[in-house]
């Protein structure tokens, strides 16, 4: 099977790594890929969000299966263009990708189908009307730009002054671009977050193992939000009763709602949950796998990903094929100095070869590129040190041992990825 993976981050490296282990896979291309993916697949310098450029590439290489990593190609209609030509692809249509591409679309969908979510106060294009609505809001308040804003579109305001500042920044100064042409105001939910991702062919679905992401840059969930500083997976994150509740009150009503609205959904659907005192509620949908959650998920896969994804593309998903390793996995992100603010690139990365020989650890590349024989940094999140183990403690300790062996100028990482989970385990759940 000739396979094409679209994207160039840690998530795509994880997919390429797993696909390469399949005896069914003959060759992998990745567009655009990165410095680590280049060691395992042929990277092609094509902009993932440019639908016509990806179509031109696929015409040339004729993949038997294409897998889309990031949201932008999906929101831009890449899968529609493939399906029109009968080319096998995994990923939702442009319309279904609106679940992520428009927070207002997704909120209206949730309200229409009575699926538990934060209460919405309203949607606004005008600063004046948005300000007026603040007088009847409770605090804190979640303010969300409607469209894709590279992770900067959500703000939790503690009071009216903070809220006004963010609203002006988005609606008046247009500092988030066209993704901020409209906003929605909603109740801020409290509780623990959980990422629940399913794979579906539009008829059947299979949940992936549960994961928890760490969005803030510093230990103890301090500092600004990032694209994700690490993630871990263990079945303890989702006790059986909670799992059943999430499936009955969230997953199945969502799939039924999509079917009732005539929006077939195929691909990965990421459901961001808040486990509130009054039960699990949806914070957000993503129309693709999360990053860095994917790294932790892939590390627990005990099945042939290429076979399962080909089944999805052919509309024949068999959920019983998804088997998982017991135990746990973790991904610790090594980031550039200054990230998530301004950071320098082009820093030489040392220690990769030594760590590559450690068993149970895989270094997945996110922001790297090759310069001759060396690998240098080229992004904010640089590497995802990924490990699995018989317990979360074991996986965490393997990953952190490997982190100490990698060096680049300005490198920083959180020291508490998975710590909450290990505390829970120590306390007996
Ligand atoms: P999103 O951009 O929709 O992925 O949201 C990013 C993050 O904002 C989520 O992972 C939550 O941490 C937070 N968030 C979004 N909506 C809410 C809400 N209603 N209440 C509290 N936190 C929220």
């Amino acid at each position: 099977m000739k396979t094409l993976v679209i994207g160039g981050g840690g998530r795509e490296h994880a997919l390429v790594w797993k696909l390469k282990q399949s005896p069914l896979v003959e060759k992998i291309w990745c567009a655009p890929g990165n410095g680590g993916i280049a060691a395992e697949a042929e990277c092609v310098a094509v902009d993932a969000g440019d639908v016509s450029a990806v179509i031109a590439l696929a015409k040339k290489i004729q993949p038997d299966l294409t897998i889309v990593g990031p949201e932008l190609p999906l929101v831009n209609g890449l899968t529609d263009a493939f399906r029109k030509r009968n080319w096998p692809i995994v990923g939702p249509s442009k319309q279904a990708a609106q679940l992520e591409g428009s927070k207002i679309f997704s909120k209206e969908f949730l309200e229409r189908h009575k699926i538990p979510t934060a209460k919405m106060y309203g949607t606004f294009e005008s600063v004046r009307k948005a300000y007026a609505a603040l007088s009847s809001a409770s605090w804190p308040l979640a303010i969300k730009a409607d469209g894709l804003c590279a992770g900067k579109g959500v703000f939790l305001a503690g009071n009216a002054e903070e809220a006004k500042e963010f609203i002006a920044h988005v609606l008046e100064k247009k500092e988030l671009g066209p993704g901020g042409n409209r906003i929605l105001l909603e109740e801020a939910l409290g509780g623990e977050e959980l990422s629940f991702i399913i794979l579906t062919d539009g008829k059947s679905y299979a949940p992936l193992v549960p994961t928890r992401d760490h969005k803030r840059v510093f230990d103890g969930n301090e500092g600004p939000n990032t694209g994700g500083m690490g993630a871990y997976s263990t079945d303890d994150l989702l006790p059986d009763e909670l799992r059943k509740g999430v499936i009955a009150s969230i997953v199945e009503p969502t799939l039924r709602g999509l079917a009732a609205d005539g929006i077939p959904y195929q691909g990965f659907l990421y459901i961001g949950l808040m486990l509130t005192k009054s039960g699990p509620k949806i914070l957000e949908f993503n129309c693709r796998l999360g990053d860095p959650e994917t790294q932790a998920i892939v590390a627990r896969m005990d099945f042939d990903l290429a076979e399962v994804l080909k089944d999805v593309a052919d509309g024949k998903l068999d959920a019983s094929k998804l088997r998982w390793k017991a135990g746990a996995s973790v991904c610790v992100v090594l980031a550039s100095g200054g990230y998530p603010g301004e950071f320098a690139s082009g820093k030489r990365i040392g220690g990769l070869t030594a760590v590559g020989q450690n068993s149970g650890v895989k270094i997945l590349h996110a922001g790297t590129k090759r310069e001759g024989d060396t690998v240098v940094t080229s992004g904010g999140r640089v590497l995802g040190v990924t490990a699995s183990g018989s317990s979360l403690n074991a996986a965490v300790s393997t990953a952190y041992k490997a982190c100490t062996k990698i060096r680049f100028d300005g490198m920083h990482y959180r020291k508490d990825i998975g710590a909450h989970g290990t505390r829970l385990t120590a306390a007996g759940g």
Side-chain angles (χ1 to χ4, degrees), residues 144-163:
K144 298 185 170 187
D146 181 41
L148 296 182
C149 293
K152 299 198 169 82
V154 176
F155 181 70
L156 294 182
N159 54 50
E161 201 180 317
E162 282 176 17

Side-chain angles (χ1 to χ4, degrees), residues 103 118 142 144 151 153-154 156 186-190 193 215 225 274 283-284 286:
K103 294 208 190 302
K144 298 185 170 187
V154 176
L156 294 182
E186 70 179 29
E187 162 201 18
L189 299 175
E193 286 187 44
K215 283 263 180 246
N225 261 337
M274 188 70 94
L283 286 177
E284 50 156 344
N286 289 331

Side-chain angles (χ1 to χ4, degrees), residues 7 25 76 104 127 154 180 195 199 206 233 261 326 335 394-395 399:
V25 172
N76 287 349
I104 295 175
V127 176
V154 176
S195 313
L199 175 62
S233 169
D261 290 352

Side-chain angles (χ1 to χ4, degrees), residues 364-388:
L364 295 164
H365 291 229
T368 72
K369 65 176 187 192
R370 278 180 189 263
E371 274 181 3
D373 284 344
T374 58
V375 179
V376 299
T377 65
S378 66
R381 290 185 297 163
V382 177
L383 299 166
V385 177
T386 305
S388 52

Side-chain angles (χ1 to χ4, degrees), residues 55-356:
I55 292 290
L57 170 67
K59 248 185 207 148
K60 205 163 92 194
I61 63 179
Q62 303 197 347
D64 302 303
L65 178 66
T66 298
I67 298 144
V68 189
E71 61 278 19
L72 191 60
L74 298 167
V75 169
N76 287 349
L78 182 65
T79 62
D80 307 72
F82 267 62
R83 290 197 184 103
K84 207 168 70 188
R85 295 170 170 84
N86 278 322
W87 296 346
I89 189 161
V90 176
S93 66
K94 179 176 183 159
Q95 191 193 17
Q98 286 302 297
L99 282 182
E100 174 167 4
S102 165
K103 294 208 190 302
I104 295 175
F105 174 93
S106 119
K107 201 76 196 176
E108 287 170 350
F109 168 83
L110 291 170
E111 292 199 330
R112 187 162 60 247
H113 296 288
K114 304 194 169 45
I115 301 168
T117 186
K119 177 174 155 261
M120 179 165 70
Y121 293 112
T123 68
F124 304 92
E125 283 170 49
S126 124
V127 176
R128 191 178 50 78
K129 289 188 181 152
Y131 282 4
L134 296 178
S135 59
S136 51
S138 312
W139 307 95
L141 172 75
I143 308 173
K144 298 185 170 187
D146 181 41
L148 296 182
C149 293
K152 299 198 169 82
V154 176
F155 181 70
L156 294 182
N159 54 50
E161 201 180 317
E162 282 176 17
K164 283 183 177 170
E165 196 181 320
F166 186 73
I167 291 169
H169 165 76
V170 178
L171 286 182
E172 202 167 64
K173 300 183 196 137
K174 302 277 178 212
E175 283 174 17
L176 297 181
N181 285 346
R182 289 203 291 167
I183 59 166
L184 74 82
L185 304 185
E186 70 179 29
E187 162 201 18
L189 299 175
E192 295 278 3
E193 286 187 44
L194 183 75
S195 313
F196 196 87
I197 307 176
I198 61 165
L199 175 62
T200 172
D201 63 357
K203 302 184 293 281
S204 311
Y205 76 91
L208 309 188
V209 281
T211 46
R212 180 163 289 144
D213 185 9
H214 298 59
K215 283 263 180 246
R216 304 290 191 118
V217 67
F218 300 128
D219 288 5
N221 290 331
E222 299 285 339
N225 261 337
T226 67
M229 294 299 288
Y232 69 96
S233 169
T234 149
D235 293 341
D236 295 343
L237 274 171
L238 196 63
D240 221 31
E241 197 141 319
L242 178 59
R243 179 189 176 85
K244 284 188 192 137
V246 169
I247 287 183
S249 73
I250 307 263
V251 176
E252 295 194 341
T254 296
L255 294 174
R256 275 198 303 273
L258 285 164
D261 290 352
I263 308 175
Y265 193 102
Q266 184 258 49
F268 293 99
L269 177 63
Y270 172 116
I271 307 174
L273 296 173
M274 188 70 94
L275 305 178
T276 74
K277 286 197 185 100
S278 50
K281 294 188 178 174
I282 295 193
L283 286 177
E284 50 156 344
F285 286 117
N286 289 331
C287 59
R288 35 93 198 166
L289 284 163
D291 187 343
E293 292 95 323
T294 305
Q295 290 85 314
I297 290 170
V298 164
R300 291 191 62 198
M301 283 182 180
D302 202 8
F303 58 90
D304 186 329
L305 180 63
E307 179 189 341
V308 165
L309 292 181
K310 183 71 168 81
D311 287 351
V312 169
D314 295 343
K316 296 190 304 210
L317 171 66
D318 173 358
S320 71
K321 285 189 183 172
L322 282 86
R323 296 182 174 277
W324 303 94
K325 293 181 196 156
S329 60
V330 64
C331 169
V332 179
V333 170
L334 307 183
S336 290
Y339 175 79
E342 272 186 38
F343 56 84
S345 289
K347 305 290 180 195
R348 191 193 160 107
I349 306 173
L352 288 173
T353 326
V355 177

